[in-house]
Every structure is written in structure tokens, then in C-alpha cells.
Amino acid sequence: APMLRRIRPLLPPEIGGLAVFLVGTSIAAFGCRYVIGVGVKDPVGRDYWLVAGITLATTVGLNVWGKGQARLYCAIIGTAIGYGAAIITGVLPKEALHVLTEVPLFAIPYIDHSFTFSPNMVLPFTVATLAITLKGIGDITALQRINDAGWVRAEMGSISRGAFANGLSNMFAGLIGTLGLTPSTASIGLQAATGVSSRVI
């Protein structure tokens, strides 16, 4: 993260933009796979299409034609209505809701694994780190443009701090044995769509 200022000429905005674009298309691909049922055991029936259509139509409709709180919370409302439609149509069995009662509301992570070092993983992790850093540069640059009407060029101070925070969070995630973390391009897109970008939220 501290070196980003020095290597800025090697990281033009086009590279960050390309990284954000590729991440966005990969997320869209996942969404399409879930909607059309690629890789599922049972064939996708009309109920699945109905739930997907209701969820998407609600979210898009509120975002385009909604006002005030309805537009602000379009994604949450769409998700809630989608879950309701899934329960009504039987796509989500009512028995599945009992699983939530078995999950604790709050749990403290604990370390019950040993640590090892593999030289073979240095290169893959280096490539992954560069990819995540480029993606983070693109994401933070997009946030800067959303929040600054007079934006001209990327401000490297906040980008360096963002990369540093992401690195620390990934180190902590590795220590407790959970998944790695990365900035959410989809959430930034949601901020751009709703016009809401607040640290309080």
C-alpha cells in the first residue's frame, strides 16, 4: 500500500477500469447462472423463473420509478419480496427456515488449526494480491468519482489507505481461517444507482 504512490505510472486508470469491468461481468455471470439453473441437480421450472422475475422486476422498478425510501432500499425490498415469493411458490421450503433457529446470532471466531508455509503458493498469492490491488484501485476510484462532482484524477492517499485496510483485513481473515476479503464492486454499483454513499449507512 505505501508503494502505490511510487508505482502509480504503472497503474493507469484504464487497468483499474478493466479490473472493475471484469469483476462486474463475473458477478453478472454468477447471477445469470443462478437464474437459469446452470449446474443444479433438478431442472429449473417456471416457479424459479417466476421468483427471479419478481425479484428483478421489484428491484429495478423501485430503482427506476421509486422515490425516497423506496428507491433507497430497492435492493433490500426486492430481496425480501423475492424470499416471500420463493416461500409462497415452494422454491424455498418452509422447513428450510428452521435452519436459521439453529445458527447462533453472535459467535466469536476461534483458531483451531495449525499454520504451515508452502513456497509453491507464493506465486499464486502474489498474482492474486496484484489482481485484488488493481480491483481495489478501480473500486476506490469509482467511489471518488461518485462522491466528488469536480473529480479530475484519482487521489492516491485514499487509495493507499484502502489497500492497506484491505491487506490488514485479509491478514486477520487468514489468522482466523475464514475467506479472504475484497472491496465489493456490486455495492459500489448500488451506491451509484441509488445515489446514496454514506459511511453512516
Side-chain angles (χ1 to χ4, degrees):
M3 292 175 57
L4 286 180
R5 293 177 181 273
R6 298 183 180 180
I7 63 175
R8 180 176 180 177
L10 302 176
L11 303 172
E14 291 79 9
I15 293 181
L18 177 61
V20 172
F21 173 76
L22 293 176
V23 170
T25 53
S26 65
I27 293 173
F30 275 116
C32 292
R33 287 169 61 90
Y34 283 126
V35 170
I36 63 179
V38 175
V40 297
K41 296 180 180 178
D42 301 323
V44 175
R46 61 181 181 181
D47 289 340
Y48 288 85
W49 286 96
L50 179 63
V51 171
I54 291 173
T55 305
L56 183 61
T58 302
T59 304
V60 173
L62 289 176
N63 183 265
V64 175
W65 296 290
K67 296 181 179 179
Q69 300 292 325
R71 184 180 183 210
L72 175 62
Y73 299 113
C74 63
I76 297 174
I77 296 171
T79 301
I81 292 177
Y83 268 106
I87 294 173
I88 293 172
T89 58
V91 172
L92 179 63
K94 294 182 179 179
E95 296 77 22
L97 298 177
H98 295 298
V99 176
L100 295 177
T101 62
E102 302 174 1
V103 179
L105 183 63
F106 178 78
I108 299 175
Y110 59 93
I111 300 175
D112 62 348
H113 53 271
S114 60
F115 296 94
T116 58
F117 178 79
S118 173
N120 296 331
M121 297 305 295
V122 172
L123 181 60
F125 269 76
T126 301
V127 173
T129 300
L130 289 174
I132 291 174
T133 301
L134 289 174
K135 177 180 175 295
I137 291 173
D139 288 341
I140 296 173
T141 301
L143 282 172
Q144 291 177 0
R145 296 187 66 176
I146 292 172
N147 290 281
D148 185 5
W151 185 88
V152 177
R153 63 180 59 87
E155 199 276 303
M156 294 304 295
S158 66
I159 290 176
S160 296
R161 292 190 296 273
F164 182 70
N166 191 44
L168 284 180
S169 63
N170 273 296
M171 289 175 62
F172 179 73
L175 288 174
I176 64 174
T178 189
L179 297 174
L181 305 172
T182 181
S184 173
T185 306
S187 295
I188 296 172
L190 183 62
Q191 292 178 45
T194 59
V196 178
S197 181
S198 171
R199 293 189 180 190
V200 175
I201 297 175

